[in-house]
Every structure is written in C-alpha cells, then in structure tokens.
Amino acid sequence: MEHSTYQKLVIAAANLLRQKGYAATGISDILETAGVTRGSLYHHFPGGKMDLGIAAARYSAGMLLNMIESACSKVRSEGGDYQDAIIEFCNKVHASFEENKNWRFMTVSATMQDGGERNEIFTNEARELYGKIRLKAIDEGRKFGLASKQSYLPLRQALLMLEGSWLLSRVLEDPMPMRSAVKFIEEEKLLHELRQQAQQQTPHDDALSGL
C-alpha cells in the first residue's frame, strides 16, 4: 500500500533517528529518504525537525505497543503465562534489532534524550510515551489475571535490561549483549519456577520429618 506524504516523512524520520540520532540527522537526509519536497515537510510539520522528531518517536512507541499486544495475544492463545509473554516480547525486540543490521539503532528514549536544546520537550514526550507503555502492560497483565503491579514490574525490568544491553551493543558494535539479555530473562523465568517448586516441596518434607 502506498504511504501518504505524512507517513513517508514519519517512517523515514523514525528510521534515520534510530540509526543516526537526532543531532546527526539533517532535514535533507529525511527529505532524501522520504522522497518528498521541503515544502511538504513544513506543510505537515510546521515546527520542522522538532515536530517530526516527536511524531517519529510516537510512531516507534506505537510499534513497541503493538509488539507487547502481539506477544501477549500469541502466548495466551498457546496457554502460556505472562512471563512467557514478556519473553516473547523481548524476542520480538531482539529480532527487530537483528533485522536492522546496525547496532547504532536508537531506542525511543535515546531518540528523545538526544534532542539537544529541545531536551525538555523531548523528555516530557518520552515520559508520556512510557506512560502509555505502562498502561498497556497493566491492561495485558489483567488479561492473564494479574494485578497492576504484577503486570508492570516484569515489563519494566525487561525494558531496563533491553535498553542497557542495547547501549552496550551500540558501544561494542556487537549484538551479543542484546542476545545475552534475552537469554537472561528466559533463565530468570526458569529460576522462578524452580524456587516455586522448592517452596512447595518444603512443607511436604517438613511433614515427613515429623513422622
């Protein structure tokens, strides 16, 4: 399907900002990638690069929200639990990084924090976007029968680990930290299940020892 001029600009900006960062991306880069005129850009985004940067961050956050919803829906259909959904979400994020083939790929928060003199505006926007992610996590968690805190904390932990591993991958120009983060989250679920089994076994053992 052919994208509108607005969509072309947002998608081009989102890709360039994630790859190069806000400061290093010029209006001419966006225009060339989108294949549109300068007049079209300012028609849709009167504030120029700043307005387009915010729209691009919202687009990227929307993709993240879709990943969360898709992961949870898939896991529920397979009879899995919320932690399985978190792992599925992490695998989706990792896959998108692998497909990008560029470890200077920027996260939503990094794109916003890279806004130079407009930092306060971008920081507020980043907070609002992550607020939406929090609400999405709570909503999806409820579908698994979890309370708000039980829903958001696992996703927050996963996001912190993914963003930290992304930063290390970017510095090293190596995908291994991101792969390790996903593996660690999978191992955490296994350890949690083993701890639960041990706790269930302990009362049984105590009862036997009293005989």
Side-chain angles (χ1 to χ4, degrees):
M1 183 178 69
E2 180 69 19
H3 292 299
S4 67
T5 299
Y6 179 91
Q7 291 172 322
K8 288 178 180 178
L9 285 165
V10 171
I11 293 171
N15 290 334
L16 287 170
L17 292 176
R18 287 196 301 260
Q19 293 170 15
K20 300 171 65 175
Y22 183 88
T25 300
I27 290 292
S28 58
D29 298 323
I30 297 171
L31 293 174
E32 182 180 353
T33 302
V36 302
T37 65
R38 187 174 294 267
S40 295
L41 186 150
Y42 286 102
H43 171 74
H44 291 287
F45 303 98
K49 184 178 170 183
M50 183 185 74
D51 285 358
L52 189 50
I54 291 173
R58 289 173 180 170
Y59 171 80
S60 296
M63 293 177 65
L64 203 60
L65 291 170
N66 288 337
M67 285 184 186
I68 295 171
E69 184 173 343
S70 173
C72 290
S73 178
K74 178 177 183 291
V75 168
R76 278 197 305 274
S77 69
E78 296 172 349
D81 59 23
Y82 188 64
Q83 195 61 36
D84 291 322
I86 295 296
I87 293 171
E88 177 67 19
F89 165 70
C90 291
N91 282 322
K92 285 179 177 292
V93 174
H94 175 245
S96 72
F97 273 66
E98 289 279 16
E99 290 169 9
N100 190 65
K101 301 300 181 185
N102 184 340
W103 291 95
R104 292 188 62 79
F105 185 93
M106 304 284 280
T107 59
V108 172
S109 60
T111 302
M112 291 286 88
Q113 291 294 330
D114 193 36
E117 75 279 3
R118 303 293 187 176
N119 188 271
E120 184 177 353
I121 295 174
F122 286 155
T123 297
N124 290 336
E125 182 67 26
R127 287 179 183 146
E128 184 176 335
L129 292 176
Y130 276 106
K132 292 179 180 179
I133 292 171
R134 179 179 182 275
L135 291 176
K136 170 58 76 173
I138 291 172
D139 180 57
E140 292 295 337
R142 284 174 181 158
K143 297 174 184 177
F144 285 92
L146 300 178
S148 297
K149 188 175 182 180
Q150 292 173 303
S151 302
Y152 180 57
L153 288 181
L155 181 63
R156 184 176 70 173
Q157 180 185 35
L159 286 172
L160 287 170
M161 190 167 296
L162 288 172
E163 292 219 11
S165 63
W166 158 79
L167 180 61
L168 190 55
S169 287
R170 190 181 182 206
V171 170
L172 299 177
E173 297 186 351
D174 186 341
M176 187 53 66
M178 179 65 74
R179 292 172 183 161
S180 298
V182 176
K183 185 67 175 176
F184 180 82
I185 292 170
E186 292 174 340
E187 291 172 349
E188 274 290 293
K189 173 179 168 60
L190 178 60
L191 288 173
H192 177 70
E193 291 173 345
L194 290 174
R195 284 193 293 267
Q196 285 186 319
Q197 291 174 10
Q199 290 171 357
Q200 292 170 357
Q201 186 67 31
T202 299
H204 177 70
D205 291 343
D206 290 343
L208 290 177
S209 64
L211 295 178

